[in-house]
Structures are given as C-alpha cells and as structure tokens.
Amino acid sequence: MTTDQNTAPTPTPTSTPSAGIDPIRVDVWSDIACPWCYIGKRKFEKALTVTGIPVEIEYHAYELAPDLPEEFEGSEQDYLEIRGFTADQVQPLLSRIVAAAKAVGLDFNYDILRHTNMLKGHQLIRWAKAEGHQLDMVERILAAHFEEGRHVGRDEDLAELAAEIGLDREKALSALREGRYADDVRADEAKARQLGIQSVPFYVFENTYGVAGAQDPAAFADILRQLAEKKQETTQ
C-alpha cells in the first residue's frame, strides 16, 4: 500500500490532537547512509501516533560521504575508519547503533550492509516525490540498505526498489540513467549549507524551527503540540 508523499498516514492518536488545523510543515534533511536518520524516522513516527497531529513531510538530500565510490569494497570497519573513527571505537559504536535501532523495531545488519555512493539513491527519492510517493520510497530504500543488505547505489537495483512500492521500474531507470534529479539533490545540499546544517537527521518545522538529531518521541511530540497550539491561536 502506498501513500501520498506529502502527507503522512493518519495515525491512531493516544492523546487528543488539535482539531481543525492545517498540517504542520516538516522538512527533513537526511542521508540514506545515516543510521540515526532511520532511527529518528521511527521516533518521529511514534510522536505522530501519540499526538495524532497532521503533518506534511518532505525529505531532502544530505550526503555524508559524497566521495565514496559506487562499488565500495571495504568492510564496515573500513568505512568508519575512513569517516574518522579509530579501530577500537568501531564495535562499541555499532553495538550502540544496533541497540538503538532494535529499541524502535528495526533490525540493522552490519554484516551484510553494503556501502555505496548515495547520489543515485537520493535522486530516486526525488523522482519518487515527483511521482507522489516520496515517503514510501524513503522507507523502502532505508530498509533495503540497513536491514536487507541491498545495493542502493546502482541504477538497476534502485529501479527494482521503486517497482517494489508500485512505481514504474522503467521510468525510474530512465530518470536515474539521465541524472534527471541530480540538480535537485545538489539544491537540497546547498539549502542545507545555507541553513547551517552540519549533521543529520535535521528537522525544520514550519520553515522556522530547526531540531537536530534523532530526538525521543516525547520531544518530537512536545514540538508538534506547541506548533499545533500556535496554529490554533492564529486561526481563532
């Protein structure tokens, strides 16, 4: 089942949401290679379930390792050492990430994870946005990368992921081969620099309030409630 890319599925609230307000705009800068982006996604979704407040979400590209080749042959240890971690820091870090993922219902598997350049993956997400299914594509590509060990840097593999959420494989493949959305990815990254974003995930609420990191669901819920109350005040 697919959903509209801009509007998150209506959750079943466990507290009474603010009634009659327009959706809260949420722009998320995220990288496919970022484990905390996937963990943060689940935490934010939990906040939506708790509050029942409607949101309009758009994902934006942010590459943590833009110089990585499409076919990276190294291990997770190799990748993290390239990213500046020492050898004795890697296993404690991975253990902490896997535990944090498990706590929100995700099953990260670093034994099979395949690192790659994420430019094409971000282009696919932008193409899926144009097709009206960005949120579905974000979820599918993150699961493929972190839980399934799929290659998310090659045109053909990415087109298969598009087909798995009901989109046209050949259209996706054509867009990727042409690099049709590369400029959109670069525009996202330029906007991130303009906003001073230096790490992801990074959430911008209502084009005004910036929040960094995979916050706890309660923190996200508090932000959403405060913004909903302000929206109500302006409409009264």
Side-chain angles (χ1 to χ4, degrees), residues 21 23 31 34 52 58 64 77 86 97 102 134 158 171 181 189 193 203 208-209 230:
I21 64 167
D31 189 18
C34 170
E58 182 174 346
L64 290 170
Q77 179 99 19
T86 62
I97 291 172
K102 187 177 182 62
Q134 188 190 45
L158 289 166
K171 287 183 179 179
Y181 290 88
E189 294 174 330
R193 290 191 294 272
Y203 302 79
T208 303
Y209 305 97
K230 287 185 178 180

Side-chain angles (χ1 to χ4, degrees), residues 196-215:
I197 297 172
Q198 297 181 340
S199 64
V200 287
F202 194 93
Y203 302 79
V204 178
F205 294 86
E206 293 287 285
N207 298 309
T208 303
Y209 305 97
V211 177
Q215 301 290 324

Side-chain angles (χ1 to χ4, degrees), residues 9 14 40 42 50 55 58 62-63 84 87 92 94 107 119-120 126 169 173 197 199 206 215:
T14 57
R42 283 290 184 271
V50 168
V55 297
E58 182 174 346
Y62 188 106
E63 294 174 275
L94 293 181
D107 184 20
L119 177 59
K120 288 292 184 73
R126 296 301 293 183
R169 182 188 184 281
L173 191 58
I197 297 172
S199 64
E206 293 287 285
Q215 301 290 324

